[in-house]
Amino acid sequence: MTDTPALPLNDGNSIPQLGFGVWRLEEADAPKVVGAAIDAGYRHIDTAQGYDNEAGVGEAIAQASVARDQLFVTSKLRNGHQGYDSALRSLDESLGRLKLDYLDLFLIHWPAPEHDRYADTWRALVEARKQGKVRSIGVSNFLPEHIQRIIDETGVVPAVNQLELHPAYQQRDIREWHRDKDIQIECYSPLGGQESKLLEDEMIKGIADAHGKSTAQVIIRWHLQQNLIVLPKSSKPERAKDNFDVWDFVLSGDDIAKIDALDRPDGKTLPQPDENNQLF
Ligand code: A2P
């Protein structure tokens, strides 16, 4: 089985570049679906308090055919749990549900700037890392101005920022900003989200046919070849397995350029980072 390539993080740790996303996965289905993903080769699982499936994910990890230290497990703090004390308390609750004694990565799920608690929350994550409860810490859906503030206030640079990023919404300026700060970008909804038209895109289909692969595999490969961390999700084990089968082909410069041309300013499908977010 192919080992997932890893990218370095700015704290000295590393992260498997392809992970399994579990948003919208029902708690009851999680043991089976996540277990099948691990059997298919995924070693990186990305959950969140707000997905309401941590216990099911923990069940899959407990029953997995691979040891805990071979897995990279991420969770994210629910917006309503922001604040120094409540963030630390709720991390402990996540660890309890996941039946783990540490997380590989813990993220602030959204900045929720209207509450103005993300800087204190970040201090809590720095403390949790000191205590060994998490190996790496980061953020999600943060704009550069939010990240700059937590760096200015604590001196600690997040290891990652998890963002919506796919061929229809490529965030090139944002990527450059993160490169300069040595912050890795994790891409959620990499296939374009639930109502994705990318999977049916004729041009991507042409590239996929030429390589004998699927459109989903081509899109995942597009992320990988640009040093992005990519987190596709599927509730269907067969699809999850296909999405991991991306190591036996390479997109040409011409393929990449054609996909690059799909970028649209209005290609975002989920709420903007600084919107008052009720999702999580
Ligand atoms: P499903 O759970 O029904 O398989 P993402 O949010 O990661 O961009 O993915 C968008 C949707 O695409 C997922 O919700 C998933 O729905 C579907 N999907 C994932 N992998 C594939 C695939 N290989 N082929 C077709 N659809 C896929």
Side-chain angles (χ1 to χ4, degrees), residues 21 23-25 42 165-166 187-196 198-200 214-217 219-220 223 230-244 269-270:
W23 181 29
R24 296 198 174 101
L25 184 61
Y42 289 88
L165 198 153
H166 45 72
C187 306
Y188 72 74
S189 297
L191 304 176
Q194 224 174 9
E195 307 285 308
S196 175
L198 288 173
L199 291 168
E200 308 302 327
S214 70
T215 51
Q217 289 165 330
I219 295 168
I220 291 165
H223 290 82
V230 55
L231 305 169
K233 57 184 179 295
S234 178
S235 53
K236 302 180 178 63
E238 269 317 303
R239 287 180 174 174
K241 193 172 169 192
D242 282 352
N243 295 347
F244 192 77
T269 64
L270 288 157

Side-chain angles (χ1 to χ4, degrees), residues 47-80:
T47 185
Q49 295 175 346
Y51 300 169
D52 292 317
N53 59 20
E54 286 179 314
V57 170
E59 195 61 39
I61 294 169
Q63 291 170 9
S65 48
V66 299
R68 159 70 184 104
D69 66 2
Q70 300 303 302
L71 296 172
F72 188 101
V73 184
T74 301
S75 192
K76 315 184 192 80
L77 183 77
R78 207 186 270 277
N79 294 347

